[in-house]
Amino acid sequence: MPFDPSRVDCWIFDLDNTLYPAETCLFDQIDVRMGAYIADLLGCDHAEARRVQKMYFHDHGTTLAGLMHFHGVDPYEFLGYVHHVDMAPLNRAPRLEERLMRLPGRRLVFTNGDAAYATRVLDALGITHCFEGLWDIHAMEYKPKPEPSAYRGFVSAFGIDPTRSVFFEDSARNLTPAKAMGMQTVWLDFGTDWGARARDETAIDETIDDLAAWLDALAADGHLG
């Protein structure tokens, strides 16, 4: 189905590589720190640490979920370590801020990261005030997207009507449960293998590669306030 903005009163956004451009490579810093954490935890070299890291990510939704399941890792310790990154690559985003503030209805962040890190990102972009709230990995009880329970908990906590919502996400597999609940979906496709992993075309209403530009087009068509 083509995206229909007239049916939307709740705009839901993933965080990493969605609200900021993937080319900032902010998540690359996190990726490196995850590898270092795993190498230290397991006493292995970095090649083996990366293999374990990606295996857990693909099999469990996040690397953290696999580490908790197999190694009893404390989530607060892990997230505090891997999210201790330099926000300098992020620039304030006044154009995105203006477009977000014109979206009719509610605006929420739905991320597999934690609230402390998400807030730092939103602050660096200058868009914290654009959102009513966020749902993070702690709120999900460490069962991350694409686990259906993460979506059910989010929808229940914020009183969301999925049929009146749209979800923006750079990982295609995370759109499938949203679509199953009745949400409209927009995939940010940056041409990466991980972004397209387990992609289901029937779960994607629209594919874009630049959120701010897409919102500009939506405004030009008269769909924003």
Side-chain angles (χ1 to χ4, degrees):
M1 295 290 292
F3 173 70
D4 180 2
S6 69
R7 294 198 294 113
V8 178
D9 63 17
C10 187
W11 305 77
I12 302 165
F13 298 87
D14 175 49
L15 181 74
D16 288 309
N17 299 325
T18 299
L19 287 174
Y20 62 81
E23 57 264 28
T24 62
C25 298
L26 185 68
F27 202 81
D28 288 4
Q29 295 186 58
I30 297 172
D31 198 53
V32 168
R33 292 184 70 82
M34 284 186 187
Y37 184 97
I38 293 168
D40 183 64
L41 176 73
L42 303 183
C44 63
D45 62 26
H46 288 284
E48 174 62 9
R50 184 162 184 81
R51 185 192 70 80
V52 170
Q53 176 186 346
K54 297 307 176 184
M55 177 179 67
Y56 288 167
F57 170 73
H58 292 310
D59 293 349
H60 296 272
T62 63
T63 300
L64 171 61
L67 290 172
M68 290 177 66
H69 179 76
F70 291 108
H71 307 284
V73 163
D74 176 79
Y76 286 92
E77 175 191 294
F78 174 80
L79 292 168
Y81 180 85
V82 303
H83 285 155
H84 188 65
V85 296
D86 181 9
M87 294 288 166
L90 296 181
N91 296 313
R92 296 185 71 83
R95 174 179 164 215
L96 177 60
E97 174 194 17
E98 191 270 340
R99 291 300 183 223
L100 288 171
M101 292 302 291
R102 289 181 62 187
L103 292 175
R106 310 168 71 191
R107 300 174 296 272
L108 299 162
V109 174
F110 183 28
T111 176
N112 279 349
D114 67 354
Y117 164 73
T119 299
R120 290 179 64 212
V121 170
L122 297 175
D123 285 349
L125 295 170
I127 59 173
T128 306
H129 63 285
C130 296
F131 298 97
E132 173 186 331
L134 64 87
W135 198 244
D136 75 346
I137 191 65
H138 301 302
M140 296 174 202
E141 298 180 341
Y142 313 110
K143 296 176 182 177
K145 299 176 294 182
E147 285 289 330
S149 62
Y151 301 74
R152 291 194 298 267
F154 173 56
V155 165
S156 176
F158 285 97
I160 295 166
D161 178 355
T163 66
R164 300 284 299 168
S165 304
V166 59
F167 181 37
F168 298 81
E169 167 72 68
D170 67 304
S171 182
R173 67 178 180 174
N174 291 344
L175 294 172
T176 301
K179 189 65 176 176
M181 297 182 81
M183 293 183 187
Q184 295 190 75
T185 58
V186 178
W187 179 38
L188 281 94
D189 178 13
F190 299 112
T192 63
D193 290 339
W194 54 262
R197 185 178 176 84
R199 178 180 61 198
D200 177 0
E201 293 291 350
T202 66
I204 300 169
D205 293 314
E206 188 137 354
T207 301
I208 65 176
D209 60 11
D210 185 319
L211 177 60
W214 185 81
L215 291 175
D216 283 344
L218 206 62
D221 290 341
H223 294 300
L224 302 189

